[in-house]
Amino acid sequence: MSDEKSGRVVVVTSGKGGVGKTTSTASLGAALAHLGQKVVVIDFDVGLRNLDLVLGAERRVVFDLINVINGVAKLPQALIKDKRLENLFLLPASQTRDKDALTEEGVAKVIAELRTKFDWIVCDSPAGIERGATLAMRHADSAIIVTNPEVSSVRDSDRIIGLLDSKTEKAERGECVDKHLLITRYHPWRAARGEMLSIDDVLDILSIPLIGIIPESEEVLRASNVGSPVTLNAPLSAPAKAYFDATKRLKGEQIAMHIPTESRGLFNKLFGRKAA
Amino acid sequence: MNLLSLFRRGSAPVARERLQILLAHERETRDQPDLLGVLREEILAVIARHVAFDPDKVQITMDRGSTVSTLAVDIEIPNRRRASGAASQQLSQLAFTAKTATARSQWTNGLV
């Protein structure tokens, strides 16, 4: 942590819970670190932390974000270095229920300090639109809006886009947070049969640029079971490839978008129903 | 596309249409103050200038239709003819109060 950096702050948000914010934060963070970037992922879900678990660092948490804000611990003491990727760090959330400990000034100070030490600061937002969620997006330069092709998720994403355009520091300065849509849990065969909103449907409705499409996959579940991001645990799997492509787009690279398609045999195509 | 899908149409188009209608409305009203709350305050202030009523006995409902939306304001007003005399009488009369006034207005969909 010698040379001074000017890191970019990215919030991973969605409004709705259970759409894949934490999984995506871990996967994108690990992919960025794998590509040589120095990354810290921050869990803003005070009281219900899970990023530590998805990253396999749950038994190494000593201090957390609230401890740093309260001055109980210094920032370097609270950062947990990943055992597999030397560029990846985690700042865990507190398990205490005292959400008021997350202060605006405290978060601003922590983010400002992290900017000088990391290339990327990835903030994992809690669900909802309360304090934790608004503070997670407060200092963001960019936002990744995680959306499932499903009505309630799309509606909540639209609400979050509204907040990103009004409640962030950038918005208050008259600027605009870069917004990227990450569609997760996409079932190609369901979309093809008109049972699920298609990529075009979601893009038409939300009208923000697409950064990636993550297909529904057992590899994602397996990765969180073993506490390793899918981009690290199964880097050649379809979801990991999609996360790597999204990561490169986040870095500004031009990568052609790959829309997942059905890959089933003739019999299944004619009569089948793929078990999810 | 498979043989089954020839006999069954997906529900995604319905989802898409519902979302488009809902979000068009929510985006319009996103940064505005709570319309129903403001209307409630202002309507009640006007009525309170002329008649006495219990603010808890007021119901405001809105029904958004595809072409016309309805805003209904129901206010229970104590019966004035019987509301005279001692305080004890007034209390018993309030218990017997019937709904005597209903204001019902309609706006076009564009307004609400």
Side-chain angles (χ1 to χ4, degrees):
Chain A
M1 294 189 191
S2 50
D3 54 335
E4 191 98 330
K5 293 180 181 285
S6 58
R8 274 180 68 186
V9 179
V10 181
V11 61
V12 179
T13 183
S14 71
K16 190 175 183 297
V19 297
K21 286 181 294 297
T22 302
T23 305
S24 295
T25 302
S27 304
L28 295 167
L32 278 167
H34 184 80
L35 295 173
Q37 305 285 300
K38 195 169 177 194
V39 186
V40 59
V41 290
I42 313 179
D43 193 344
F44 272 84
D45 204 343
V46 175
L48 289 171
R49 75 169 175 226
N50 275 318
L51 190 52
D52 55 335
L53 192 55
V54 170
L55 281 170
E58 70 276 12
R59 285 156 59 159
R60 300 169 60 206
V61 175
V62 182
F63 295 115
D64 56 52
L65 176 60
I66 302 285
N67 294 146
V68 176
I69 287 174
N70 290 340
V72 172
K74 295 255 186 274
L75 188 51
Q77 293 179 299
L79 290 174
I80 301 170
K81 187 175 174 170
D82 189 89
K83 283 188 168 168
R84 301 146 299 200
L85 290 162
E86 61 168 18
N87 281 340
L88 180 62
F89 291 78
L90 163 70
L91 182 52
S94 168
Q95 269 300 47
T96 64
R97 283 175 294 169
D98 187 13
K99 290 193 181 185
D100 293 337
L102 206 59
T103 62
E104 174 141 9
E105 305 73 43
V107 171
K109 211 174 146 210
V110 169
I111 296 278
E113 192 175 342
L114 289 172
R115 274 189 202 267
T116 66
K117 293 175 177 163
F118 290 90
D119 297 309
W120 296 87
I121 298 108
V122 185
C123 304
D124 183 21
S125 172
I129 52 173
E130 303 301 323
R131 190 186 187 87
T134 50
L135 281 177
M137 69 168 67
R138 184 86 190 125
H139 305 279
D141 300 306
S142 319
I144 291 177
I145 295 117
V146 183
T147 305
N148 294 165
E150 178 270 326
V151 284
S152 53
S153 175
V154 174
R155 181 200 205 172
D156 292 355
S157 292
D158 193 73
R159 187 86 193 275
I160 283 290
I161 291 168
L163 290 179
L164 286 164
D165 287 338
S166 60
K167 303 282 184 204
T168 52
E169 260 191 341
K170 248 185 152 180
E172 285 170 7
R173 286 201 302 265
E175 298 167 34
C176 199
V177 174
D178 292 323
K179 295 179 287 288
H180 308 279
L181 181 66
L182 182 68
I183 296 181
T184 55
R185 313 202 72 161
Y186 180 68
H187 300 246
W189 64 96
R190 288 198 172 134
R193 290 181 355 184
E195 296 170 0
M196 176 182 250
L197 287 168
S198 70
I199 301 295
D200 283 343
D201 287 340
V202 180
L203 284 175
D204 276 358
I205 292 166
L206 294 178
S207 43
I208 59 169
L210 184 63
I211 198 170
I213 306 159
I214 315 298
E216 172 76 24
S217 164
E218 61 196 16
E219 287 296 345
V220 176
L221 181 61
R222 200 195 321 274
S224 69
N225 283 345
V226 300
S228 172
V230 71
T231 41
L232 205 63
N233 199 51
L236 298 177
S237 65
K241 282 182 180 167
Y243 273 123
F244 269 112
D245 282 355
T247 305
K248 289 173 187 165
R249 291 186 193 105
L250 184 66
K251 286 179 65 197
E253 292 178 38
Q254 299 288 323
I255 308 276
M257 188 66 67
H258 170 70
I259 297 182
T261 49
E262 295 185 86
S263 54
R264 293 188 289 153
L266 180 64
F267 179 84
N268 277 334
K269 268 185 184 154
L270 291 174
F271 303 104
R273 180 182 273 267
K274 182 163 179 171
Chain B
M1 217 25 164
N2 64 27
L3 288 182
L4 286 176
S5 62
L6 294 176
F7 303 101
R8 188 181 51 188
R9 294 188 61 190
S11 51
V14 180
R16 180 194 166 100
E17 197 186 328
R18 288 178 61 219
L19 272 171
Q20 280 173 328
I21 293 169
L22 174 70
L23 294 183
H25 173 78
E26 287 189 345
R27 285 169 190 161
E28 257 177 46
T29 53
R30 185 179 282 160
D31 294 321
Q32 292 168 5
D34 167 27
L35 178 64
L36 217 52
V38 174
L39 280 176
R40 181 192 155 93
E41 291 303 311
E42 294 190 5
I43 290 170
L44 294 192
V46 168
I47 295 170
R49 260 189 259 151
H50 303 285
V51 283
F53 62 88
D54 180 354
D56 292 337
K57 301 272 175 70
V58 175
Q59 275 206 333
I60 300 188
T61 52
M62 188 182 285
D63 185 17
R64 282 201 293 271
S66 55
T67 52
V68 173
S69 297
T70 311
L71 177 74
V73 185
D74 283 292
I75 305 171
E76 273 191 37
I77 297 176
N79 196 329
R80 277 171 164 253
R81 274 176 293 159
R82 294 214 241 155
S84 58
S88 59
Q89 278 178 303
Q90 276 189 7
L91 278 176
S92 62
Q93 281 157 357
L94 280 172
F96 284 97
T97 299
K99 195 186 293 177
T100 55
T102 301
R104 205 173 271 277
S105 316
Q106 281 199 339
W107 275 268
T108 56
N109 197 31
L111 197 70
V112 293

CSV table of all heavy atoms in Angstrom, one decimal, chain A residues 165-204:
chain,number,residue,atom,x,y,z
A,165,ASP,N,-30.0,8.5,-9.4
A,165,ASP,CA,-30.0,9.7,-10.1
A,165,ASP,C,-30.3,10.9,-9.2
A,165,ASP,O,-30.4,12.1,-9.7
A,165,ASP,CB,-31.0,9.7,-11.3
A,165,ASP,CG,-30.5,8.8,-12.4
A,165,ASP,OD1,-29.3,8.7,-12.5
A,165,ASP,OD2,-31.3,8.3,-13.2
A,166,SER,N,-30.6,10.6,-7.9
A,166,SER,CA,-31.0,11.8,-7.1
A,166,SER,C,-30.3,11.8,-5.7
A,166,SER,O,-30.0,12.9,-5.2
A,166,SER,CB,-32.5,11.7,-6.8
A,166,SER,OG,-32.9,10.5,-6.2
A,167,LYS,N,-29.9,10.6,-5.2
A,167,LYS,CA,-29.4,10.6,-3.8
A,167,LYS,C,-27.9,10.4,-3.7
A,167,LYS,O,-27.4,10.4,-2.6
A,167,LYS,CB,-30.1,9.5,-3.0
A,167,LYS,CG,-31.6,9.6,-2.9
A,167,LYS,CD,-32.1,10.6,-2.0
A,167,LYS,CE,-33.6,10.6,-1.9
A,167,LYS,NZ,-34.2,11.9,-1.4
A,168,THR,N,-27.2,10.3,-4.8
A,168,THR,CA,-25.8,10.1,-4.7
A,168,THR,C,-25.0,11.4,-4.7
A,168,THR,O,-25.6,12.4,-5.1
A,168,THR,CB,-25.3,9.2,-5.9
A,168,THR,OG1,-25.8,9.8,-7.1
A,168,THR,CG2,-25.8,7.8,-5.8
A,169,GLU,N,-23.8,11.3,-4.2
A,169,GLU,CA,-22.9,12.6,-4.3
A,169,GLU,C,-22.8,13.1,-5.7
A,169,GLU,O,-22.9,14.3,-5.9
A,169,GLU,CB,-21.5,12.2,-3.7
A,169,GLU,CG,-21.3,12.6,-2.3
A,169,GLU,CD,-19.8,12.5,-1.9
A,169,GLU,OE1,-19.1,11.8,-2.6
A,169,GLU,OE2,-19.5,13.1,-0.9
A,170,LYS,N,-22.6,12.2,-6.6
A,170,LYS,CA,-22.4,12.6,-8.0
A,170,LYS,C,-23.7,13.3,-8.5
A,170,LYS,O,-23.6,14.3,-9.2
A,170,LYS,CB,-22.1,11.3,-8.9
A,170,LYS,CG,-20.7,11.3,-9.4
A,170,LYS,CD,-20.5,10.1,-10.4
A,170,LYS,CE,-19.5,10.5,-11.4
A,170,LYS,NZ,-19.3,9.3,-12.4
A,171,ALA,N,-24.8,12.7,-8.2
A,171,ALA,CA,-26.1,13.3,-8.7
A,171,ALA,C,-26.3,14.7,-8.0
A,171,ALA,O,-26.7,15.6,-8.7
A,171,ALA,CB,-27.3,12.4,-8.3
A,172,GLU,N,-25.9,14.9,-6.8
A,172,GLU,CA,-26.0,16.2,-6.1
A,172,GLU,C,-25.1,17.2,-6.7
A,172,GLU,O,-25.3,18.4,-6.6
A,172,GLU,CB,-25.8,16.0,-4.6
A,172,GLU,CG,-27.1,15.3,-4.0
A,172,GLU,CD,-26.9,14.9,-2.5
A,172,GLU,OE1,-25.8,15.3,-1.9
A,172,GLU,OE2,-27.8,14.3,-2.0
A,173,ARG,N,-24.0,16.7,-7.3
A,173,ARG,CA,-23.0,17.7,-8.0
A,173,ARG,C,-23.5,18.0,-9.4
A,173,ARG,O,-22.8,18.7,-10.1
A,173,ARG,CB,-21.6,17.0,-8.0
A,173,ARG,CG,-20.9,17.0,-6.7
A,173,ARG,CD,-19.4,16.9,-7.0
A,173,ARG,NE,-19.0,15.7,-7.8
A,173,ARG,CZ,-18.6,14.5,-7.3
A,173,ARG,NH1,-18.5,14.4,-6.0
A,173,ARG,NH2,-18.3,13.5,-8.0
A,174,GLY,N,-24.6,17.4,-9.8
A,174,GLY,CA,-25.1,17.6,-11.1
A,174,GLY,C,-24.5,16.6,-12.2
A,174,GLY,O,-24.7,16.8,-13.4
A,175,GLU,N,-23.8,15.6,-11.6
A,175,GLU,CA,-23.2,14.6,-12.6
A,175,GLU,C,-24.1,13.4,-12.5
A,175,GLU,O,-25.1,13.4,-11.9
A,175,GLU,CB,-21.8,14.3,-12.1
A,175,GLU,CG,-20.8,15.5,-12.2
A,175,GLU,CD,-19.5,15.2,-11.5
A,175,GLU,OE1,-19.0,14.0,-11.5
A,175,GLU,OE2,-18.9,16.1,-10.9
A,176,CYS,N,-23.6,12.4,-13.2
A,176,CYS,CA,-24.4,11.2,-13.3
A,176,CYS,C,-23.6,9.9,-13.0
A,176,CYS,O,-22.5,9.8,-13.5
A,176,CYS,CB,-25.0,11.1,-14.8
A,176,CYS,SG,-26.4,10.0,-14.9
A,177,VAL,N,-24.1,9.1,-12.1
A,177,VAL,CA,-23.4,7.8,-11.8
A,177,VAL,C,-23.6,6.9,-13.1
A,177,VAL,O,-24.6,6.8,-13.7
A,177,VAL,CB,-24.1,7.1,-10.6
A,177,VAL,CG1,-23.6,5.8,-10.4
A,177,VAL,CG2,-24.0,8.0,-9.4
A,178,ASP,N,-22.4,6.3,-13.5
A,178,ASP,CA,-22.5,5.4,-14.6
A,178,ASP,C,-23.3,4.2,-14.2
A,178,ASP,O,-22.9,3.5,-13.3
A,178,ASP,CB,-21.1,4.9,-15.0
A,178,ASP,CG,-20.2,6.0,-15.6
A,178,ASP,OD1,-20.8,6.9,-16.3
A,178,ASP,OD2,-19.0,6.1,-15.3
A,179,LYS,N,-24.3,3.9,-15.0
A,179,LYS,CA,-25.2,2.8,-14.6
A,179,LYS,C,-25.0,1.6,-15.6
A,179,LYS,O,-25.0,1.8,-16.8
A,179,LYS,CB,-26.6,3.2,-14.5
A,179,LYS,CG,-26.8,4.3,-13.4
A,179,LYS,CD,-28.3,4.8,-13.3
A,179,LYS,CE,-28.6,5.7,-14.4
A,179,LYS,NZ,-28.0,7.0,-14.3
A,180,HIS,N,-24.9,0.4,-15.0
A,180,HIS,CA,-24.7,-0.8,-15.8
A,180,HIS,C,-25.7,-1.8,-15.3
A,180,HIS,O,-25.8,-2.1,-14.2
A,180,HIS,CB,-23.3,-1.3,-15.7
A,180,HIS,CG,-22.2,-0.3,-15.9
A,180,HIS,ND1,-21.8,0.0,-17.2
A,180,HIS,CD2,-21.5,0.4,-15.1
A,180,HIS,CE1,-20.8,0.9,-17.1
A,180,HIS,NE2,-20.6,1.1,-15.8
A,181,LEU,N,-26.4,-2.4,-16.3
A,181,LEU,CA,-27.4,-3.5,-15.9
A,181,LEU,C,-26.7,-4.9,-16.0
A,181,LEU,O,-26.1,-5.2,-17.0
A,181,LEU,CB,-28.5,-3.4,-16.9
A,181,LEU,CG,-29.7,-4.4,-16.7
A,181,LEU,CD1,-30.4,-4.1,-15.3
A,181,LEU,CD2,-30.7,-4.4,-17.8
A,182,LEU,N,-26.8,-5.6,-14.9
A,182,LEU,CA,-26.3,-7.0,-14.9
A,182,LEU,C,-27.5,-7.9,-14.7
A,182,LEU,O,-28.1,-7.9,-13.6
A,182,LEU,CB,-25.3,-7.2,-13.8
A,182,LEU,CG,-24.6,-8.5,-13.7
A,182,LEU,CD1,-23.7,-8.8,-14.9
A,182,LEU,CD2,-23.8,-8.7,-12.4
A,183,ILE,N,-27.8,-8.7,-15.7
A,183,ILE,CA,-29.0,-9.6,-15.6
A,183,ILE,C,-28.4,-10.9,-15.1
A,183,ILE,O,-27.5,-11.5,-15.7
A,183,ILE,CB,-29.7,-9.7,-17.0
A,183,ILE,CG1,-30.3,-8.4,-17.4
A,183,ILE,CG2,-30.8,-10.8,-16.9
A,183,ILE,CD1,-31.0,-8.3,-18.7
A,184,THR,N,-29.0,-11.4,-14.0
A,184,THR,CA,-28.5,-12.6,-13.4
A,184,THR,C,-29.7,-13.6,-13.4
A,184,THR,O,-30.9,-13.3,-13.6
A,184,THR,CB,-28.1,-12.5,-12.0
A,184,THR,OG1,-29.1,-11.8,-11.2
A,184,THR,CG2,-26.8,-11.6,-11.9
A,185,ARG,N,-29.4,-14.9,-13.2
A,185,ARG,CA,-30.3,-16.0,-13.2
A,185,ARG,C,-31.2,-16.1,-14.4
A,185,ARG,O,-32.4,-16.3,-14.4
A,185,ARG,CB,-31.2,-15.8,-11.9
A,185,ARG,CG,-30.5,-15.6,-10.7
A,185,ARG,CD,-31.3,-15.9,-9.4
A,185,ARG,NE,-31.3,-17.4,-9.4
A,185,ARG,CZ,-31.6,-18.1,-8.2
A,185,ARG,NH1,-31.9,-17.4,-7.2
A,185,ARG,NH2,-31.6,-19.4,-8.2
A,186,TYR,N,-30.5,-15.9,-15.5
A,186,TYR,CA,-31.2,-15.9,-16.8
A,186,TYR,C,-31.4,-17.3,-17.3
A,186,TYR,O,-30.4,-18.1,-17.4
A,186,TYR,CB,-30.4,-15.1,-17.8
A,186,TYR,CG,-31.0,-15.0,-19.2
A,186,TYR,CD1,-32.2,-14.3,-19.4
A,186,TYR,CD2,-30.4,-15.6,-20.3
A,186,TYR,CE1,-32.8,-14.3,-20.7
A,186,TYR,CE2,-31.0,-15.6,-21.6
A,186,TYR,CZ,-32.2,-14.9,-21.7
A,186,TYR,OH,-32.7,-14.8,-23.0
A,187,HIS,N,-32.6,-17.7,-17.6
A,187,HIS,CA,-32.9,-19.1,-18.2
A,187,HIS,C,-33.1,-18.9,-19.6
A,187,HIS,O,-34.2,-18.5,-20.0
A,187,HIS,CB,-34.1,-19.7,-17.5
A,187,HIS,CG,-34.1,-19.8,-16.0
A,187,HIS,ND1,-34.1,-21.1,-15.4
A,187,HIS,CD2,-34.0,-18.9,-15.0
A,187,HIS,CE1,-34.0,-20.9,-14.1
A,187,HIS,NE2,-34.0,-19.6,-13.8
A,188,PRO,N,-32.2,-19.3,-20.5
A,188,PRO,CA,-32.4,-19.1,-22.0
A,188,PRO,C,-33.6,-19.8,-22.5
A,188,PRO,O,-34.4,-19.2,-23.3
A,188,PRO,CB,-31.1,-19.7,-22.6
A,188,PRO,CG,-30.1,-19.7,-21.5
A,188,PRO,CD,-30.9,-19.8,-20.2
A,189,TRP,N,-33.8,-21.0,-22.0
A,189,TRP,CA,-35.0,-21.8,-22.5
A,189,TRP,C,-36.3,-21.2,-22.1
A,189,TRP,O,-37.3,-21.3,-22.8
A,189,TRP,CB,-34.8,-23.3,-22.1
A,189,TRP,CG,-34.9,-23.6,-20.7
A,189,TRP,CD1,-36.0,-23.9,-20.0
A,189,TRP,CD2,-33.9,-23.5,-19.7
A,189,TRP,NE1,-35.8,-24.1,-18.7
A,189,TRP,CE2,-34.4,-23.8,-18.5
A,189,TRP,CE3,-32.5,-23.1,-19.8
A,189,TRP,CZ2,-33.7,-23.9,-17.3
A,189,TRP,CZ3,-31.8,-23.2,-18.6
A,189,TRP,CH2,-32.4,-23.5,-17.4
A,190,ARG,N,-36.3,-20.6,-20.9
A,190,ARG,CA,-37.6,-20.0,-20.5
A,190,ARG,C,-37.9,-18.8,-21.3
A,190,ARG,O,-39.0,-18.5,-21.7
A,190,ARG,CB,-37.6,-19.7,-19.0
A,190,ARG,CG,-37.6,-20.9,-18.2
A,190,ARG,CD,-38.0,-20.6,-16.7
A,190,ARG,NE,-38.2,-21.9,-16.1
A,190,ARG,CZ,-37.8,-22.2,-14.9
A,190,ARG,NH1,-37.1,-21.3,-14.2
A,190,ARG,NH2,-38.0,-23.3,-14.3
A,191,ALA,N,-36.8,-18.0,-21.5
A,191,ALA,CA,-37.0,-16.7,-22.3
A,191,ALA,C,-37.5,-17.1,-23.7
A,191,ALA,O,-38.4,-16.5,-24.3
A,191,ALA,CB,-35.7,-15.9,-22.3
A,192,ALA,N,-36.8,-18.2,-24.3
A,192,ALA,CA,-37.2,-18.6,-25.7
A,192,ALA,C,-38.6,-19.0,-25.8
A,192,ALA,O,-39.3,-18.9,-26.8
A,192,ALA,CB,-36.2,-19.7,-26.1
A,193,ARG,N,-39.2,-19.6,-24.7
A,193,ARG,CA,-40.5,-20.0,-24.7
A,193,ARG,C,-41.5,-19.0,-24.3
A,193,ARG,O,-42.7,-19.2,-24.1
A,193,ARG,CB,-40.7,-21.3,-23.8
A,193,ARG,CG,-40.0,-22.4,-24.5
A,193,ARG,CD,-40.0,-23.8,-23.8
A,193,ARG,NE,-40.6,-23.9,-22.5
A,193,ARG,CZ,-40.6,-25.1,-21.9
A,193,ARG,NH1,-40.0,-26.1,-22.4
A,193,ARG,NH2,-41.1,-25.2,-20.7
A,194,GLY,N,-41.0,-17.8,-24.1
A,194,GLY,CA,-41.9,-16.7,-23.7
A,194,GLY,C,-42.4,-16.8,-22.3
A,194,GLY,O,-43.5,-16.2,-21.9
A,195,GLU,N,-41.7,-17.6,-21.5
A,195,GLU,CA,-42.2,-17.8,-20.1
A,195,GLU,C,-41.5,-16.8,-19.1
A,195,GLU,O,-41.9,-16.6,-18.0
A,195,GLU,CB,-41.9,-19.2,-19.6
A,195,GLU,CG,-42.6,-20.3,-20.3
A,195,GLU,CD,-42.1,-21.7,-20.0
A,195,GLU,OE1,-41.2,-21.8,-19.2
A,195,GLU,OE2,-42.7,-22.6,-20.6
A,196,MET,N,-40.4,-16.2,-19.6
A,196,MET,CA,-39.6,-15.3,-18.8
A,196,MET,C,-39.3,-14.0,-19.7
A,196,MET,O,-39.1,-14.1,-20.9
A,196,MET,CB,-38.3,-16.0,-18.4
A,196,MET,CG,-37.3,-15.2,-17.7
A,196,MET,SD,-35.8,-16.1,-17.4
A,196,MET,CE,-36.0,-16.4,-15.6
A,197,LEU,N,-39.3,-12.9,-19.0
A,197,LEU,CA,-38.9,-11.6,-19.7
A,197,LEU,C,-37.6,-11.9,-20.5
A,197,LEU,O,-36.7,-12.4,-19.9
A,197,LEU,CB,-38.8,-10.5,-18.7
A,197,LEU,CG,-40.0,-9.9,-18.1
A,197,LEU,CD1,-39.7,-9.0,-16.9
A,197,LEU,CD2,-40.9,-9.2,-19.1
A,198,SER,N,-37.5,-11.4,-21.7
A,198,SER,CA,-36.3,-11.5,-22.5
A,198,SER,C,-35.3,-10.4,-22.1
A,198,SER,O,-35.7,-9.5,-21.5
A,198,SER,CB,-36.6,-11.5,-24.0
A,198,SER,OG,-37.0,-10.2,-24.3
A,199,ILE,N,-34.1,-10.6,-22.6
A,199,ILE,CA,-33.1,-9.5,-22.4
A,199,ILE,C,-33.6,-8.2,-23.0
A,199,ILE,O,-33.5,-7.1,-22.3
A,199,ILE,CB,-31.8,-9.9,-23.0
A,199,ILE,CG1,-31.3,-11.2,-22.5
A,199,ILE,CG2,-30.7,-8.8,-22.9
A,199,ILE,CD1,-30.9,-11.2,-21.0
A,200,ASP,N,-34.2,-8.3,-24.2
A,200,ASP,CA,-34.7,-7.1,-24.8
A,200,ASP,C,-35.8,-6.4,-24.0
A,200,ASP,O,-35.9,-5.2,-23.9
A,200,ASP,CB,-35.2,-7.4,-26.3
A,200,ASP,CG,-34.0,-7.5,-27.2
A,200,ASP,OD1,-32.9,-7.1,-26.9
A,200,ASP,OD2,-34.2,-8.1,-28.3
A,201,ASP,N,-36.7,-7.2,-23.5
A,201,ASP,CA,-37.8,-6.7,-22.7
A,201,ASP,C,-37.2,-5.9,-21.5
A,201,ASP,O,-37.6,-4.7,-21.3
A,201,ASP,CB,-38.6,-7.8,-22.0
A,201,ASP,CG,-39.5,-8.5,-23.1
A,201,ASP,OD1,-39.7,-7.9,-24.1
A,201,ASP,OD2,-39.9,-9.7,-22.8
A,202,VAL,N,-36.2,-6.5,-20.8
A,202,VAL,CA,-35.7,-5.8,-19.6
A,202,VAL,C,-34.9,-4.5,-20.0
A,202,VAL,O,-35.1,-3.5,-19.4
A,202,VAL,CB,-34.7,-6.7,-18.8
A,202,VAL,CG1,-34.2,-6.0,-17.6
A,202,VAL,CG2,-35.5,-8.0,-18.4
A,203,LEU,N,-34.2,-4.6,-21.1
A,203,LEU,CA,-33.4,-3.4,-21.6
A,203,LEU,C,-34.4,-2.3,-22.0
A,203,LEU,O,-34.1,-1.1,-21.7
A,203,LEU,CB,-32.5,-3.8,-22.8
A,203,LEU,CG,-31.3,-4.6,-22.4
A,203,LEU,CD1,-30.5,-5.0,-23.6
A,203,LEU,CD2,-30.4,-3.7,-21.5
A,204,ASP,N,-35.4,-2.7,-22.7
A,204,ASP,CA,-36.4,-1.7,-23.2
A,204,ASP,C,-37.0,-1.0,-22.0
A,204,ASP,O,-37.2,0.3,-22.0
A,204,ASP,CB,-37.6,-2.4,-23.9
A,204,ASP,CG,-37.2,-2.6,-25.4
A,204,ASP,OD1,-36.1,-2.2,-25.8
A,204,ASP,OD2,-38.1,-3.2,-26.1
